[in-house]
Amino acid sequence: MTWVGRERRFSSIDVEAMKVSTGGERVRLEGLYVRVSGSHGQESSLQAQEKELRATSTGEIVKVFGERACGLREDRPGLSRLLPPVVDGSVTVVRVTHEDRLARFGGGWLKHLLSVYGASLEMLHPKKLGGRDELLEDFVSLVTVFAGRLYGMRSAENRRRLLAESGQCNAWRAA
């Protein structure tokens, strides 16, 4: 270990040595990632995902990383909280129920990033599609996500308009 400013730096050899248990096998430290797209409700879906992941766990569950955010967003807080434990080796396996819970698109990049730090990604229910079916499913997913965002934007505009109108009506009545 060496100090660089206020940070401690460890050699990759030392880090790998810390990851290995006494039996010579790598310790399985699991980070469970659960996500729903909605900003409210859907607590039962988060709980169901966590319950299913816990029931099939074969290692030590370090932490559950959960959030409510769109799978297309890159700045998800739960995903941001998941990455530092992967980097420091305190999580060696990231587990999700379905690939789209981790990310709608770009899951391959995240899987590669995890592997760079010695962690793996496990999906309880991997996609079994290929070729045209997978492409069609991706297209439908894109349309669904963007339609939801469009409806959300429209709903927000309508709320602002109604609030503005109600403010004008109240000002008119007060006069």
Side-chain angles (χ1 to χ4, degrees):
M1 176 193 71
T2 60
W3 285 89
V4 177
R6 295 173 55 192
E7 296 180 359
R8 289 182 286 178
R9 302 273 171 104
F10 298 90
S11 75
S12 58
I13 296 167
D14 291 339
V15 171
E16 286 302 315
M18 286 187 275
K19 290 179 182 178
V20 176
S21 68
T22 56
E25 240 178 75
R26 191 163 176 208
V27 178
R28 185 177 169 89
L29 304 169
E30 298 181 1
L32 310 181
Y33 182 78
V34 296
R35 181 187 66 79
V36 292
S37 296
S39 59
H40 50 276
Q42 299 181 334
E43 285 82 12
S44 61
S45 179
L46 283 172
Q47 293 166 354
Q49 288 177 52
E50 181 179 344
K51 182 178 178 182
E52 189 174 12
L53 290 168
R54 283 184 181 280
T56 58
S57 175
T58 59
E60 178 188 339
I61 297 174
V62 176
K63 188 169 181 179
V64 177
F65 301 88
E67 68 185 326
R68 292 178 175 88
C70 175
L72 288 176
R73 286 185 48 201
E74 295 175 349
D75 61 341
R76 289 178 277 147
L79 185 58
S80 296
R81 286 190 308 272
L82 169 68
L83 294 176
V86 167
V87 171
D88 71 20
S90 58
V91 168
T92 59
V93 180
V94 175
R95 299 185 66 235
V96 295
T97 55
H98 297 84
E99 182 178 3
D100 72 344
R101 295 300 87 201
L102 185 64
R104 286 285 183 182
F105 299 97
W109 286 105
L110 285 170
K111 189 174 183 177
H112 176 70
L113 177 66
L114 296 175
S115 71
V116 166
Y117 290 101
S120 61
L121 173 64
E122 288 183 6
M123 291 170 272
L124 285 183
H125 309 290
K127 283 186 184 180
K128 292 185 174 122
L129 301 174
R132 186 177 297 161
D133 291 337
E134 188 172 351
L135 182 62
L136 183 59
E137 186 177 287
D138 286 347
F139 178 73
V140 169
S141 181
L142 264 174
V143 170
T144 302
V145 168
F146 283 106
R149 292 180 106 182
L150 180 64
Y151 291 138
M153 290 168 51
R154 188 179 300 157
S155 176
E157 287 173 13
N158 285 338
R159 278 194 301 271
R160 281 193 294 271
R161 181 181 53 78
L162 288 172
L163 285 172
E165 287 175 3
S166 68
Q168 290 174 357
C169 290
N170 289 338
W172 176 73
R173 287 182 184 158

